[in-house]
């Protein structure tokens, strides 16, 4: 369960005692590659679906991502391994429960790179 943090408004979990593959039904690789800095945001469908899955790890990801968060941030807040979070996020994609905003491609221009740096700096300040 998500616990109230001692300060701030971010939920925190105690570290999971279950093996990582127990969270992902034995799967260790996501169905799509997702960068650690990619932003994940819950869609309207995802917000509605979270109501029907109140105790699952998928519902916790949906709850956290009402506000866009990086894959790495989700892993830290849920105290789950990064690989587990990647699998969970990739499970939510086919049903349009989340959208993943990729980071830069190899052909990204200076403006795109500058925007990414601004977002990262803003995210760091928020932590």
């Amino acid at each position: 369960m998500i616990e109230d943090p001692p300060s701030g408004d971010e939920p925190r979990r105690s570290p999971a005692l279950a093996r990582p593959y127990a969270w992902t039904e034995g799967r260790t690789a996501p169905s799509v590659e997702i960068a650690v800095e990619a932003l994940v945001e819950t869609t309207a469908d995802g917000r509605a679906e979270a109501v029907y899955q109140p105790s699952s790890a998928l519902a916790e990801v949906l709850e956290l991502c009402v506000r866009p968060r990086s894959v790495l941030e989700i892993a830290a807040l849920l105290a789950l391994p990064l690989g587990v979070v990647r699998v969970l996020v990739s499970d939510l994609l086919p049903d349009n429960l989340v959208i993943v905003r990729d980071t830069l491609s190899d052909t990204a221009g200076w403006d795109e790179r500058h925007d990414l740096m601004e977002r990262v700096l803003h995210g760091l300040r928020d932590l």
Side-chain angles (χ1 to χ4, degrees), residues 1-5 9-13 40-43 45-51 53-69 74 77-78 89 92 97-98:
M1 277 286 137
I2 297 177
E3 300 172 0
D4 288 332
D9 63 346
E10 299 298 324
R12 275 238 185 264
R13 290 173 42 105
V40 180
E41 185 173 2
T42 303
T43 63
D45 290 343
R47 288 190 291 278
E49 182 69 22
V51 173
Q53 300 180 14
S55 62
S56 74
L58 293 173
E60 291 181 31
V61 172
L62 291 171
E63 180 184 329
L64 278 176
C65 296
V66 169
R67 178 180 132 205
R69 298 187 187 273
I74 298 165
L77 289 171
L78 293 179
V89 169
L92 295 167
L97 301 177
V98 296

Side-chain angles (χ1 to χ4, degrees), residues 2-3 6 10 13-14 16 23 38 51 53-54 67 71-73 78 91-93 96 101 118 121 124:
I2 297 177
E3 300 172 0
E10 299 298 324
R13 290 173 42 105
S14 41
W23 289 87
V51 173
Q53 300 180 14
R67 178 180 132 205
V71 174
L72 193 56
E73 186 178 5
L78 293 179
D91 287 350
L92 295 167
L93 281 169
N96 195 37
R101 293 195 173 98
E118 287 292 328
L121 286 173
L124 289 172

Side-chain angles (χ1 to χ4, degrees), residues 107-121:
T107 60
W110 189 89
D111 288 338
E112 292 172 302
R113 294 176 190 282
H114 183 264
D115 288 344
L116 175 61
M117 288 187 284
E118 287 292 328
R119 288 195 308 269
V120 169
L121 286 173

